[in-house]
Amino acid sequence: MAEDYVELIAELIESRGEARPVEIAERFGVKPPTVTKNISRLKAAGLVRREPYRAIFLTDAGRELAEACRRRHRIVVAFLLSLGIDEETAERDAEGIEHHVSTTTLEAFEHALLQSESGK
Amino acid sequence: MAEDYVELIAELIESRGEARPVEIAERFGVKPPTVTKNISRLKAAGLVRREPYRAIFLTDAGRELAEACRRRHRIVVAFLLSLGIDEETAERDAEGIEHHVSTTTLEAFEHALLQSESGK
DNA sequence: TAGATAAGTTAGCCGTGTCTAACTTTGGGA
DNA sequence: TCCCAAAGTTAGACACGGCTAACTTATCTA
């Protein structure tokens, strides 16, 4: 959960300037109370900084985690695309797959990606 | 959860002749009461047939699900291996990845597998 | 065949992630 | 400026998947 949240929060801050619960709820297809509860868990975990009714910000730890997740996500998506999978499916599957990919496997994906690029 | 259970139960029946809670608990690294609870959920879902204190059997639906899962598992593992990933990592990652792979992506894996086989 | 031991179950707890219903706060018009 | 709608929170419920402690059943062996 935490990974998906910080990833999305980082994206929202980048694209919108701030991250709001209502947008998070829409993107994940959950209801606002779920977001409130999860955000407070992220806060307890030191990933997020925030006061009630205000926008959500990432701590340094949160930003680091988000960066690692986004990088991993990009690699997985790019890899699936390189296999000829359509964008929508690649995005959807990557969402699930990325949390189960070890460093070893991620490196293998990167390596395969380089091969396919040189061979195109 | 259900998929992992029926997959393992099918394996145990094949290799041992029957599936016993104690073995399931060991393989998943959980305690026996967890297995009892989950088996009764599988029974409620119509995937498993069983009386208390006896071995566990799959229903037709359970067997079908198990077969689909095992096939998918084999493909994911073979695909990861074809990327040069070591067996242990391939097994471990496949366990997580397999539940998030759409039919489209599974087919792409199979296709890539054929390519790599013809090219070796 | 009677115990002891291994296997399995039951009861009750916890954390996670979800929901609905009802409330509060914020902020932008009229 | 005041009020209303949108955003956010709180309270309380639920299912899932895990645990420990304590109990019951099955089985093996002396």
Side-chain angles (χ1 to χ4, degrees), chain A residues 1 4 9 19 24 26-27 31 36-37 40 42 46 48-49 52 58 61 64 66 68 87 90 99 113 117:
Chain A
M1 181 280 284
D4 286 329
I9 291 166
I24 296 172
E26 276 162 17
R27 275 283 274 278
K31 302 294 177 184
T36 297
K37 192 179 282 190
S40 62
L42 294 186
V48 132
R49 190 162 37 81
L58 293 172
E64 269 172 48
E87 288 198 31
H99 301 293
L113 220 35
E117 268 163 32

Side-chain angles (χ1 to χ4, degrees), chain A residues 20-22 33 36-37 50:
Chain A
R20 283 284 175 183
V22 69
T36 297
K37 192 179 282 190
R50 117 121 155 163

Side-chain angles (χ1 to χ4, degrees), chain A residues 4-99:
Chain A
D4 286 329
Y5 270 67
V6 295
E7 205 175 330
L8 177 55
I9 291 166
E11 272 175 36
L12 288 173
I13 289 174
E14 205 169 273
S15 63
R16 296 270 213 289
E18 60 174 24
R20 283 284 175 183
V22 69
E23 313 221 35
I24 296 172
E26 276 162 17
R27 275 283 274 278
F28 288 146
V30 301
K31 302 294 177 184
T34 302
V35 174
T36 297
K37 192 179 282 190
N38 286 336
I39 292 297
S40 62
R41 292 202 248 248
L42 294 186
K43 188 178 175 178
L47 294 170
V48 132
R49 190 162 37 81
R50 117 121 155 163
E51 296 102 66
Y53 298 100
R54 293 268 112 87
I56 301 148
F57 300 96
L58 293 172
T59 61
D60 289 351
R63 216 166 356 251
E64 269 172 48
L65 180 58
E67 217 19 80
C69 291
R70 293 173 79 186
R71 175 177 169 274
R72 196 182 50 186
H73 181 81
R74 281 192 301 269
I75 292 168
V76 174
V77 171
F79 177 70
L80 294 179
L81 290 174
S82 80
L83 256 32
I85 294 166
D86 65 283
E87 288 198 31
E88 202 186 310
T89 304
E91 265 304 331
R92 193 159 26 76
D93 284 17
E95 210 67 62
I97 290 173
E98 58 182 0
H99 301 293

Side-chain angles (χ1 to χ4, degrees), chain A residues 70-85 90 94 101 104-120, chain B residues 79 82-85 112:
Chain A
R70 293 173 79 186
R71 175 177 169 274
R72 196 182 50 186
H73 181 81
R74 281 192 301 269
I75 292 168
V76 174
V77 171
F79 177 70
L80 294 179
L81 290 174
S82 80
L83 256 32
I85 294 166
V101 164
T104 301
T105 297
L106 194 67
E107 276 164 14
F109 282 6
E110 278 188 288
H111 185 256
L113 220 35
L114 290 178
Q115 299 301 312
S116 77
E117 268 163 32
S118 70
K120 86 173 167 211
Chain B
F79 176 70
S82 80
L83 256 33
I85 294 166

